[in-house]
Amino acid sequence: PRIIDCNPAACSIFGYGRSEMLGQPVDFLHVNEESLLEFRKALFPAVEKQGHLSSFEFRMKRRNGQIFPTEHAVFPLQNDDGDRIGWVSVVRDITERRRTLEAIRENQTLIQGILDHANSVIVVRDVQGRYVMVNREAQSVLGMDSCEIIGKNPYDIHTLDKAEKLLSDDKTVIESRKPLHIEDQLEVRGEVRTFLGARFPLLNPANEPYAVCTVAADITERKKAEDALRESEEKYRTLVESAGEAIATIDVNGVFMFM
């Protein structure tokens, strides 16, 4: 097929003058012959099935030889009898879109890398309660890979009581738009562990909550140490108070600390 008309945007995208494009076969806009055949393999089945080709991303070539990404929508051009006499092709240069998506992907990779090296459990659930992000520590605690968690809700992962508590906390955070400090217990590989942290809302540019983030550290060993210390102090006090002799503890400055 040859180009019988084109608008200024087409000339700008491909870098040709209008007179240079009119009457030319479309081949020169494709990367090579193989690329053109690939495009046709996508075009004809789509037209046969749905009457047009839409949202098809494909590489094209500018006048200066630069290969760039495009999005195509192609519709048959018909005469009054309904016979196809050509094609109407809408081409969009999506170079900036691709750059933006790549930047977003790189940013997500950076953030995920930082989160994965944190010792705390970090999870994000959207306002529907679905997990949208979990770091490596969260995966370890839950005993599941991210692909088994993302898109699920707490009912898919936890017991009924635990799931209801998590979603109730999320609702509180979303409605109040304030952080909620938590100390919670969770069974991890057959052992009950204690976690201390906070849940807080994530807000979009319109200042509306779109997700709830939880950051929590495992304080089980600290709790055990505190309990052991408290138990030791209680035993010591009981022993001292039941003794028949006078017992006192004095610091290096001669101040009585216990008597």
Side-chain angles (χ1 to χ4, degrees):
R2 295 178 180 275
I3 301 172
I4 59 175
D5 198 6
C6 64
N7 68 348
C11 298
S12 175
I13 287 174
F14 289 102
Y16 291 94
R18 186 169 184 273
S19 61
E20 295 177 291
M21 296 183 69
L22 296 184
Q24 295 296 322
V26 296
D27 307 37
F28 77 110
L29 301 178
H30 287 268
V31 176
N32 49 40
E33 183 66 25
E34 183 180 342
S35 176
L36 176 60
L37 292 175
E38 184 181 344
F39 183 83
R40 287 173 176 170
K41 286 180 181 179
L43 172 62
F44 292 117
V47 172
E48 189 71 28
K49 182 178 180 180
Q50 59 192 29
H52 64 276
L53 175 70
S54 62
S55 303
F56 179 64
E57 295 189 7
F58 199 73
R59 296 189 309 155
M60 301 292 283
K61 185 173 65 177
R62 303 190 203 275
R63 181 175 186 170
N64 62 7
Q66 180 188 24
I67 310 301
F68 67 105
T70 61
E71 183 181 78
H72 290 255
V74 183
F75 304 87
L77 179 64
Q78 299 175 328
N79 60 21
D80 293 338
D81 296 325
D83 299 321
R84 189 176 69 209
I85 58 174
W87 303 94
V88 176
S89 183
V90 180
V91 182
R92 179 179 290 110
D93 182 348
I94 60 171
T95 303
E96 289 306 315
R97 183 204 298 177
R98 285 284 184 89
R99 287 174 180 165
T100 300
L101 290 175
E102 183 60 30
I104 291 173
R105 276 193 293 267
E106 290 178 358
N107 190 47
Q108 289 175 333
T109 300
L110 173 65
I111 293 173
Q112 190 68 49
I114 294 171
L115 297 179
D116 281 345
H117 285 82
N119 291 325
S120 297
V121 169
I122 304 176
V123 302
V124 177
R125 287 186 293 271
D126 64 19
V127 292
Q128 284 76 43
R130 296 180 299 242
Y131 289 90
V132 295
M133 194 285 298
V134 291
N135 72 340
R136 190 173 297 160
E137 183 66 15
Q139 295 172 57
S140 176
V141 167
L142 295 173
M144 303 170 70
D145 292 332
S146 61
C147 61
E148 300 175 278
I149 302 170
I150 301 301
K152 302 290 182 62
N153 63 54
Y155 291 110
D156 299 317
I157 297 172
H158 299 284
T159 62
L160 178 61
D161 289 346
K162 176 64 67 177
E164 290 182 344
K165 177 66 167 60
L166 291 174
L167 293 176
S168 175
D169 284 354
D170 285 0
K171 183 179 179 182
T172 298
V173 169
I174 291 169
E175 291 179 349
S176 68
R177 302 191 184 188
K178 295 180 180 179
L180 178 66
H181 297 284
I182 57 170
E183 182 173 325
D184 204 359
Q185 291 186 322
L186 189 66
E187 186 173 322
V188 180
R189 293 179 287 278
E191 179 187 5
V192 176
R193 310 288 294 182
T194 302
F195 293 85
L196 180 67
R199 291 194 175 94
F200 51 91
L202 300 180
L203 307 177
N204 62 21
N207 206 37
E208 293 293 331
Y210 68 90
V212 174
C213 180
T214 299
V215 180
D218 186 338
I219 61 167
T220 305
E221 301 309 320
R222 191 183 86 186
K223 292 281 287 186
K224 288 180 179 178
E226 290 174 350
D227 291 343
L229 178 61
R230 187 162 45 250
E231 183 179 348
S232 176
E233 289 175 343
E234 290 174 354
K235 287 181 178 179
Y236 178 70
R237 180 176 294 276
T238 299
L239 176 63
V240 170
E241 290 180 348
S242 63
E245 297 82 7
I247 300 176
T249 301
I250 306 172
D251 68 14
V252 293
N253 297 313
V255 177
F256 284 91
M257 299 175 63
F258 178 82
M259 183 173 177

